[in-house]
Amino acid sequence: MTQPDTRTLERVKLALRSQRIETPSWAYANSGTRFKVFPQEGVPRNPYEKVADAGVVHQLTGVAPTVALHIPWDRVDDYADLAAFAGDHGIGLGAINANVFQDNDYKLGSVTNPDPGVRRKAVDHLLECVDIMDRTGSRDLKLWFSDGTNYPGQDDIRARQDRLAAALRETYDRLGDDQRLLLEYKLFEPAFYATDVPDWGTAYAHCLELGPKAQVVIDTGHHAPGTNIEFIVAFLLRVGKLGAFDFNSRFYADDDLMVGSADPFQLFRIMYEIVRGDALAPEAGIAFMLDQCHNIEAKIPAIIRSVLNVQEATAKALLVDADALAAAQRSGDVLAANAVLMDAYNTDVRPLLAELRTDLGLDPDPMAAYARSGYFDRIRAERAGGQQAGWGA
Ligand code: RM4
Ligand code: MN
């Protein structure tokens, strides 16, 4: 394996310059598992402080210029003011995440609930989220439903699909020209028995029915063990229905751990399909978001680490020698083709990334820069009083 030549390195650095990774407001707050939330010091007490933390992550990494909001966790009186505050911190407000999974009324589901009154309430919340997008300037509405049934016969599986379609339609029709509806799927919540949007096929079918402004979100934590996620990426990209990622690592029995931590090779394979599909640049319209919570690890460094993990996987994906790969594939040389991918994956891209950061006027080591910055000591002191933000469970 030879080291990449200068031209390759310049090409990779150029592509990495345009990469954008959105961080989630809830990752800065006290959140973490469905069973216990372990509080930490210095945690934000309101959406403004979450935005300030997100600003620090962008300042140090240079590739995280937006923060996603979750409503009602991030409800504020004046969204224009929050957007201006974000601007002061060098970032913008990103996707609006709806929350129809934490209200007593949603015991039997939200938009698929058998009670039309509950369905109305859920859809009204989705419409409220679009109102908020109008004020924050957000492009994307991200929808995740923990709707489904636990027991055979509990409710009519097919009727629930009709109710889901109707709710999505009403929300879709409310979108502005430049706004999108992004639909998530998840295999196992509320139940392995019957979740209403359990897989990418279901999400894809609903998005197809809705129209061009509806696209699928791949949350990397929402699959069965062994699922080939890069296949889903390739398929959805090919048909123009991949809208976004929620990146994380699935080994918490949910979707909360740092992306690329336990399986960096999977992340590389995913990012390779993105590069292969020419979908890395912001103009391609794929939102690369983190959806994580940090329960036992320090939050801001964990988010920085996650951003760096995505960046590293992307750099490796960009190093794949496309010509050599195509030649090996054409000639049916299985081992050579596999070796081309592995060569790229096994390249140490840390020097390249350090160089990129230096070019951008950043510290080459964002983790060390954060540790040195004194930011944590400041927020620990400043945020000592008051009620720390959690995820309202
Ligand atoms: C869900 C899903 C959603 C996220 C919540 C917090 O599992 O992934 O995207 O908003 O968790
Ligand atoms: Mn998610």
Side-chain angles (χ1 to χ4, degrees), residues 207-376:
C207 288
L208 205 59
E209 198 176 308
L210 287 169
K213 289 186 282 184
Q215 288 178 305
V216 179
V217 183
I218 297 179
D219 184 314
T220 48
H222 290 184
H223 305 85
T227 300
N228 181 330
I229 299 177
E230 62 267 29
F231 172 84
I232 305 170
V233 176
F235 185 98
L236 291 175
L237 259 185
R238 178 178 171 273
V239 293
K241 278 294 182 193
L242 179 59
F245 285 94
D246 267 1
F247 281 128
N248 50 53
S249 165
R250 64 178 299 281
F251 297 95
Y252 218 9
D254 201 300
D255 48 15
D256 295 334
L257 301 185
M258 291 186 292
V259 59
S261 51
D263 195 349
F265 185 46
Q266 179 187 61
L267 184 58
F268 161 77
R269 298 187 322 256
I270 290 171
M271 293 314 298
Y272 169 69
E273 286 305 328
I274 289 294
V275 170
R276 157 74 180 81
D278 208 11
L280 185 62
E283 306 78 64
I286 313 294
F288 298 93
M289 302 180 278
L290 305 181
D291 178 12
Q292 303 183 164
C293 298
H294 304 291
N295 199 23
I296 58 169
E297 65 276 30
K299 296 171 194 298
I300 295 175
I303 298 164
I304 295 172
R305 165 61 63 215
S306 305
V307 168
L308 303 187
N309 285 351
V310 176
Q311 208 182 22
E312 274 186 29
T314 308
K316 291 179 182 208
L318 286 161
L319 280 175
V320 172
D321 183 338
D323 294 338
L325 184 60
Q329 290 173 346
R330 264 196 314 273
S331 65
D333 192 337
V334 176
L335 291 177
N338 179 243
V340 172
L341 278 192
M342 295 315 294
D343 277 347
Y345 177 66
N346 287 319
T347 307
D348 184 358
V349 293
R350 289 172 298 182
L352 178 164
L353 289 169
E355 217 177 280
L356 171 75
R357 292 185 194 115
T358 308
D359 291 353
L360 293 171
L362 302 170
D363 190 293
D365 183 350
M367 293 293 286
Y370 177 73
R372 273 197 319 269
S373 71
Y375 186 75
F376 181 63

